[in-house]
Amino acid sequence: MSEKLKVGILGATGMVGQRFVTLLENHPWFEVTTLAASAHSAGKTYEEAVGDRWKIETPMPEYARHMTVVDGDDAEKVAAGVDFMFSAVNMPKDQIRAIEERYAKTETPVVSNNSAHRWTPDVPMVVPEINPEHFAVIEHQRKRLGTTRGFIAVKPNCSIQAYTPALAAWKEFEPHEVVVSTYQAISGAGKTFKDWPEMVGNIIPFISGEEAKSEKEPLKVFGHVDPERGEIVPFDGPLRITSQCIRVPVLNGHTATVFLNFGKKATKEELIDRLVNYTSRAAELGLPHAPKHFIQYLTEDDRPQVRLDVDYEGGMGVSIGRLREDSIFDWKFVGLAHNTLRGAAGGALECAEMLKALGYITKK
Ligand SMILES: N[C@@H](CC=O)C(=O)O
C-alpha cells in the first residue's frame, strides 16, 4: 500500500487546478487520487473535461488524463477517498466558504487557494517562510467546527508575494509607510494570450478587489495568534500599505515597484544582507517545494526581469532588485514573484507540505 497521502483537487479543471495537477506529478509525499469539479464535468475523463482549455506550458500529465472527474459537490463521498483536499474551486464566495467547511467537517483538511476564508479569524493564511506559527490556530478552528482532524488553511493573494517577503526580511527596521504598484500577469486572471488577445500590447489599470487584498492581507500575515480568542489578530503596528494594481501583457509573473519608509534607519548593505540571508523553518524542514534560498537580490540595473527571473527556485523564490534611496521615501525597490507557482498552487502545495511535516495532515 502506498505510504503517500491521498489528495483530491477541488476545482481540478480550472487554471489553478491544472497547476496543482502538474505540480503533484511524482510528488514524493502526496498522490492525487481524486479530481473533482462541477457536475457538468463529472463522469468525464479529466482530458475530456478540460478539453481545449489546458493552460499550462507543459503537457497534461499522463497520470491525470484518464482519471474520471467526480462531482465536487458530493463532499462526503469525495472526502471518503482522500486524506486531504486542495481547493481551487471557482464559484461565488459564500458557496466556496460553505463547500470548504463541508469538506473540513468530514474530517478532511482543506488547503485552499481561494480568498473566501482568508479573513475568517481562525483560518490561518500562511506563507510558509513567513508565518508558519499561525497554523497553531487550527486547534481553535477544529473546536469551532467540531472536528478532530478537519480544518481549512489558506494562502494569501498572489499580488502580495513580490513585496511582502522583503517587508518580512526587514521587520527589525520597522517598515511603516509602503506604496506599492503591482504589474500583474494575465495568468492571474486565469487567462492566456489565446483567450485574452485584447491584452497583447495593452495595459488595464484595474483588477477587481485586488488593491484591498494587496493592502490588507500582509497585515494578517504579520499578525499573531491570540490563544484566548483562538484567532489571528492582524498586525496593529504602524504598517500601512497603499497600492495600485495594474494588468500587464505578461503571461506569468507579478512585478511590484515599492516605495517605503522605515521606523529605524538601515544601510543598503544591511537591507541586502537581510534579504539574501533570510532563513525560515520551511527551508530547515526540507519541504519538497520550499526554495533553498527564498529571496535573491539582483544587482544589475535591469533586473528582476520577468523573462529572466520568474522561474527562480522553480518559481517558488522571490527576486528583488533596484534597491536605492529615494528623494521622498526612505527607500525604493522592485520585486518579482511567479503568480501561479509561489503566488497560487505552489504556495498552497508548500503549505500542505508544511502541514504534513508539522503533523496537522496525516493519513486517515
Ligand atoms: N487576483 C490575482 C490572482 C491572484 O491570486 C490576479 O488577478 O492576478
Side-chain angles (χ1 to χ4, degrees):
M1 199 178 85
S2 168
E3 283 308 302
K4 291 187 183 182
L5 297 183
K6 292 181 185 166
V7 62
I9 303 169
L10 189 60
T13 54
M15 194 175 199
V16 177
Q18 293 175 18
R19 192 56 96 176
F20 276 121
V21 166
T22 307
L23 285 172
L24 285 159
E25 185 178 23
N26 301 320
H27 191 281
W29 299 352
F30 307 144
E31 177 188 8
V32 178
T33 56
T34 304
L35 297 173
S38 65
H40 171 76
S41 296
K44 297 180 182 165
T45 65
Y46 186 61
E47 192 168 34
E48 286 164 355
V50 171
D52 63 359
R53 293 173 297 117
W54 182 255
K55 299 188 183 202
I56 308 296
E57 50 286 346
T58 52
M60 180 182 287
E62 275 308 314
Y63 84 85
R65 279 183 195 281
H66 304 294
M67 284 176 72
T68 302
V69 176
V70 298
D71 183 355
D73 198 39
D74 212 347
E76 291 69 23
K77 196 168 154 200
V78 173
V82 298
D83 294 308
F84 75 103
M85 292 293 289
F86 285 113
S87 171
V89 73
N90 184 13
M91 37 192 201
K93 297 265 177 281
D94 54 337
Q95 290 177 35
I96 296 176
R97 275 192 285 274
I99 189 83
E100 291 183 349
E101 274 204 20
R102 266 179 64 207
Y103 273 93
K105 285 182 175 169
T106 68
E107 299 292 6
T108 306
V110 177
V111 182
S112 179
N113 182 66
N114 286 299
S115 63
H117 271 296
R118 287 188 192 148
W119 287 94
T120 305
D122 60 11
V123 170
M125 178 168 71
V126 170
V127 179
E129 286 78 4
I130 301 179
N131 60 330
E133 71 282 2
H134 286 195
F135 287 136
V137 81
I138 286 171
E139 68 176 276
H140 301 280
Q141 188 196 139
R142 281 175 170 156
K143 280 188 198 136
R144 173 176 62 85
L145 295 175
T147 60
T148 53
R149 199 177 173 280
F151 64 85
I152 300 162
V154 301
K155 51 149 284 294
N157 198 48
C158 54
S159 63
I160 78 164
Q161 319 271 346
Y163 56 94
T164 305
L167 302 184
W170 295 333
K171 199 170 157 194
E172 70 190 272
F173 303 116
E174 299 171 4
H176 59 96
E177 281 147 343
V178 181
V179 178
V180 181
S181 296
T182 63
Y183 302 83
Q184 300 192 202
I186 61 170
S187 57
K191 308 273 194 201
T192 63
F193 286 110
K194 191 172 138 221
D195 36 48
W196 203 1
E198 298 80 7
M199 273 309 295
V200 177
N202 196 12
I203 278 180
I204 298 180
F206 175 69
I207 304 174
S208 180
E210 202 70 356
E211 289 167 359
K213 290 176 187 167
S214 302
E215 294 168 2
K216 295 207 176 79
E217 290 188 10
L219 302 182
K220 182 164 178 181
V221 171
F222 292 141
H224 68 274
V225 178
D226 181 334
E228 303 287 303
R229 285 156 60 183
E231 297 180 351
I232 309 287
V233 179
F235 183 68
D236 60 359
L239 177 62
R240 286 183 306 146
I241 302 173
T242 180
S243 72
Q244 295 202 78
C245 297
I246 314 290
R247 188 72 69 197
V248 296
V250 158
L251 181 60
N252 291 312
H254 286 2
T255 298
T257 60
V258 183
F259 296 83
L260 79 169
N261 284 330
F262 287 120
K264 291 190 179 154
K265 279 221 167 311
T267 65
K268 184 168 179 178
E269 291 66 34
E270 285 173 326
L271 292 173
I272 293 175
D273 172 78
R274 300 310 185 270
L275 294 176
V276 299
N277 291 311
Y278 188 89
T279 54
S280 73
R281 188 90 198 279
E284 282 162 21
L285 286 168
L287 308 178
H289 283 82
K292 287 204 172 41
H293 296 106
F294 183 36
I295 306 174
Q296 70 168 341
Y297 183 76
L298 298 157
T299 53
E300 298 91 332
D301 283 341
D302 59 357
R303 306 282 284 276
Q305 276 182 37
V306 170
R307 276 183 182 267
L308 300 179
D309 302 312
V310 75
D311 291 324
Y312 168 61
E313 287 277 13
M316 293 298 287
V318 176
S319 298
I320 306 288
R322 303 219 66 214
L323 176 66
R324 59 224 193 271
E325 288 189 76
D326 183 55
S327 55
I328 296 178
F329 288 80
D330 291 339
W331 292 93
K332 53 190 167 190
F333 71 94
V334 178
L336 168 70
H338 197 301
N339 55 300
T340 67
L341 290 169
R342 163 54 61 188
L349 175 53
E350 195 191 339
C351 280
E353 291 170 353
M354 191 155 216
L355 286 160
K356 180 199 178 290
L358 299 177
Y360 289 98
I361 297 180
T362 54
K363 264 216 165 296
K364 264 185 183 165

